[in-house]
Amino acid sequence: AMSRPPVSTDVFLNVYDLHAANDVLHQVGFGLYHTGVEVNGVEYAFGGAPSGTGVFSTTAREPLGESKYRESLLLGTTKLSRSEIDDVLAELRRVFPGNSYHLTNRNCNTFSNAFALKLGVGPIPSWVNRTAGVGQMVSSVVGPEFFGLHPPSATPPADATPSSTAAFSGAGHSLSGSSSNNTSGSGAASGASGASASAALSPAELRAKRLAALEQRMKPAE
């Protein structure tokens, strides 16, 4: 019998702006970004949720809510079949429950990195999460509800615990012809997808409060 040809599927890291100031901040190595991993035409990402998994899927490269698509980086090709990718996602859904989200230690970029490693194309580029520390200045976090999305409601197993944050040191190739990792003052992701909002404030009020706090912190000292 003839053997099946090896599988070779492109894997992309899709990057989105979450703040209008990114156009300026990107030039000095800062920015608030959301990332997702695209494989077989579907994009997967991670965000905060009060229960169930924080992993969700969406249309690849389509901005969600008020986010703005920035670029796609080709991470490489995976040799995993569709069924094997489904198995990987099933595992990640268990170990990435929505209530384990943390703005700086376990964010959308943490998931993107873990997924890329499982697909054999990671780690993701280091610049993607370089300024995650900026997120510590923000009092509230963007979650799937900010985008009008709700992760699947399946309850994770009791033994699902956060994994340690892996180092990001890979290299991606921008589809625009230049890699952000090799550009002076390239943007960095703070992983600003995730967490739930306070019931006392509307999403719009929370968003305005978060951005005001960030902008205040970023003002140069007099």
Side-chain angles (χ1 to χ4, degrees):
M2 295 180 61
S3 60
R4 295 180 57 188
V7 176
S8 183
T9 305
D10 288 341
V11 180
F12 301 92
L13 181 72
N14 296 332
V15 184
Y16 302 84
D17 292 325
L18 289 176
H19 195 296
N22 278 4
D23 287 340
V24 175
L25 298 175
H26 184 81
Q27 303 304 316
V28 293
F30 288 90
L32 289 173
Y33 298 97
H34 167 72
T35 65
V37 173
E38 176 189 346
V39 60
N40 288 319
V42 181
E43 186 170 322
Y44 301 91
F46 171 61
S51 63
T53 182
V55 177
F56 62 96
S57 62
T58 185
T59 303
R61 308 183 194 186
E62 183 171 315
L64 305 174
E66 298 180 16
S67 66
K68 178 183 177 182
Y69 172 76
R70 173 168 284 273
E71 65 179 322
S72 292
L73 301 175
L74 176 61
L75 297 178
T77 57
T78 182
K79 302 302 181 183
L80 299 185
S81 65
R82 285 178 179 268
S83 63
E84 289 172 327
I85 292 173
D86 287 342
D87 290 341
V88 166
L89 285 166
E91 176 188 354
L92 292 177
R93 288 188 179 101
R94 289 193 296 270
V95 300
F96 277 90
N99 60 12
S100 74
Y101 182 92
H102 187 278
L103 181 63
T104 59
N105 297 333
R106 189 176 174 80
N107 53 39
C108 59
N109 301 315
T110 310
F111 167 80
S112 293
N113 191 60
F115 191 18
L117 288 170
K118 291 285 188 180
L119 294 175
V121 297
I124 63 177
S126 60
W127 66 267
V128 170
N129 212 47
R130 185 177 298 146
T131 56
V134 173
Q136 295 175 341
M137 305 174 186
V138 186
S139 60
S140 61
V141 189
V142 177
E145 67 277 4
F146 171 76
F147 299 124
L149 294 175
H150 300 279
S153 59
T155 302
D159 61 350
T161 56
S163 60
S164 59
T165 302
F168 304 154
S169 60
H173 300 282
S174 174
L175 299 187
S176 63
S178 62
S179 173
S180 293
N181 194 33
N182 296 326
T183 301
S184 175
S186 59
S190 68
S193 75
S196 57
S198 167
L201 297 175
S202 69
E205 291 171 327
L206 282 165
R207 186 158 61 252
K209 179 180 178 181
R210 181 181 66 254
L211 298 182
L214 179 63
E215 290 167 349
Q216 182 63 34
R217 294 279 186 165
M218 286 184 171
K219 288 182 178 179
E222 298 181 354

